Amino acid sequence: DIVPGVTSATACAAEARIPLTHREEVRSVVFLTGHSTEGPAPYDWSALARPGTVFALYMAVKAAPRIQASLLAVGVPGDTPVTVVEKGCSEAARTVHATLATLSTTLKREQITNPALLFVRYAARPKLQSAALTGAERHESPELLAAD
């Protein structure tokens, strides 16, 4: 269903149980497109890549290798969790988990195509960075439940 006023990133994050914010871990969400009508969308990744940020990247499957290389080049850790929601909010929806280091190979292996959203979760607390806080894992973590 289409719900006026609800962006697909918010809907897909909810469907995949991805918290877009979390008090001590993720304080901001940045919505970006993977490409513009002129081609790859240029971003100042060094300005955008701040710990405590979730990137919601629309239609970014083809641009994923460039985005991956750019984020790694500005110091985002390779173990940063990435969740891909393909064909979100439909009967064909599929959620795939990767890390920033494995993103390109995961997309190829899983044969992900657009429409898809990529969620890159650059946590503020490095201790929690490697924890993929999606789905049931988030709800089973006593430390995170206490922080909610």
Side-chain angles (χ1 to χ4, degrees):
D1 292 332
I2 296 174
V3 179
V6 176
T7 175
S8 58
T10 305
C12 288
E15 180 181 57
R17 300 180 66 131
I18 300 167
L20 292 178
T21 60
H22 191 277
R23 288 182 191 161
E24 295 300 318
E25 183 184 354
V26 179
R27 298 181 193 107
S28 62
V29 182
V30 178
F31 299 96
L32 303 168
T33 184
H35 65 285
S36 67
T37 55
E38 293 89 39
Y43 294 110
D44 181 352
W45 290 107
S46 60
L48 291 171
R50 298 285 181 244
T53 303
V54 168
F55 296 101
L57 295 144
Y58 292 82
M59 305 299 279
V61 173
K62 287 182 183 174
R66 182 182 42 78
I67 293 166
Q68 175 186 26
S70 297
L71 288 171
L72 290 169
V74 298
V76 178
D79 66 348
T80 299
V82 178
T83 302
V84 181
V85 180
E86 179 185 39
K87 298 175 180 65
C89 301
S90 73
E91 288 185 25
R94 179 167 63 137
T95 300
V96 175
H97 302 282
T99 64
L100 187 56
T102 65
L103 177 59
S104 293
T105 56
T106 300
L107 292 173
K108 286 178 188 172
R109 183 185 68 241
E110 298 294 328
Q111 300 178 350
I112 301 293
T113 60
N114 282 320
L117 274 150
L118 279 60
F119 295 94
V120 180
R121 196 162 207 278
Y122 187 15
R125 293 169 54 191
K127 170 177 141 181
L128 298 176
Q129 179 60 50
S130 62
L133 301 174
T134 58
E137 294 171 8
R138 179 182 186 280
H139 299 286
E140 293 171 5
S141 171
E143 178 180 354
L144 292 175
L145 286 173
D148 273 346

